[in-house]
């Protein structure tokens, strides 16, 4: 009979640790979106990145393919336009730590998600993951003998 209290304590501890580890996202206002994104990069830290420049320019890189568009805040939503693709969309922006989710209002689709990092100094430079790839390929080349 001593097992029941021990199992109950373990179950409660597991419940608390699971709840504490869950990410809690909070919806951002327009001012909060601007404060979080301007001069920063939203990325998956591997394949793609979007740099939100202060002048409304949006520079994105996906696997070495760079595109330039624009962004602005309207009615507490982030609106992005990509003239090359001809599309535009507005998103509710949610934050949890470094993690950002962009959700289409009224949609049940999975949100677009990434993390915020510092953007490279030049808005036209490839995202840091591309720069890191180039640096590591140079260091693996053999030096002349």
């Amino acid at each position: 009979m001593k097992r029941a209290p021990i199992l109950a304590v373990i179950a409660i501890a597991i419940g608390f640790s699971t709840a504490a580890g869950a990410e809690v996202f909070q919806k951002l206002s327009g001012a909060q979106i601007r404060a979080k994104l301007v001069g920063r990069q939203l990325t998956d830290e591997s394949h793609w990145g979007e740099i939100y420049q202060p002048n409304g320019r949006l520079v994105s890189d996906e696997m070495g393919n760079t595109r330039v568009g624009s962004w602005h805040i309207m009615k507490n939503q982030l609106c992005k336009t990509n003239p090359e693709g001809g599309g535009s969309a507005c998103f509710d922006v949610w934050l949890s730590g470094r993690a950002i989710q962009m959700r289409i209002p009224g949609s049940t689709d999975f949100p677009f998600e990434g993390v915020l990092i510092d953007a490279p100094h030049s808005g036209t430079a490839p995202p840091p993951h591309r720069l890191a790839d180039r640096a590591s390929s140079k260091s693996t080349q053999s030096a002349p003998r």
Side-chain angles (χ1 to χ4, degrees):
M1 294 292 172
K2 290 184 179 183
R3 279 189 158 176
I6 293 171
L7 291 175
V9 169
I10 292 172
I12 291 169
I14 290 172
F16 280 128
S17 67
T18 303
E23 288 187 272
V24 178
F25 281 86
Q26 296 190 350
K27 185 176 177 183
L28 301 182
S29 69
Q32 291 170 319
I33 294 168
R34 184 173 305 285
K36 289 292 180 186
L37 292 182
V38 169
R40 307 288 310 276
Q41 181 181 34
L42 178 63
T43 179
D44 71 348
E45 297 186 289
S46 179
H47 304 98
W48 59 267
E50 297 179 339
I51 300 170
Y52 293 85
Q53 296 181 343
N55 63 0
R57 188 173 183 206
L58 175 63
V59 179
S60 60
D61 178 276
E62 185 174 352
M63 302 296 290
N65 185 16
T66 302
R67 293 186 184 105
V68 177
S70 63
W71 69 273
H72 65 277
I73 307 292
M74 184 171 64
K75 297 182 182 178
N76 292 318
Q77 293 181 334
L78 172 68
C79 299
K80 302 190 299 183
T81 303
N82 182 357
E84 294 172 17
S88 65
C90 294
F91 303 90
D92 289 332
V93 179
W94 295 71
L95 175 72
S96 176
R98 291 187 331 142
I100 292 275
Q101 288 184 345
M102 293 190 189
R103 302 176 185 177
I104 298 171
S107 173
T108 58
D109 291 341
F110 288 107
F112 174 74
E113 189 169 327
V115 295
L116 283 175
I117 63 172
D118 291 331
H121 294 296
S122 168
T124 57
H129 64 271
R130 291 278 154 236
L131 298 175
D133 291 347
R134 291 179 188 161
S136 64
S137 68
K138 286 181 183 177
S139 66
T140 57
Q141 296 173 354
S142 60
R145 297 179 187 224

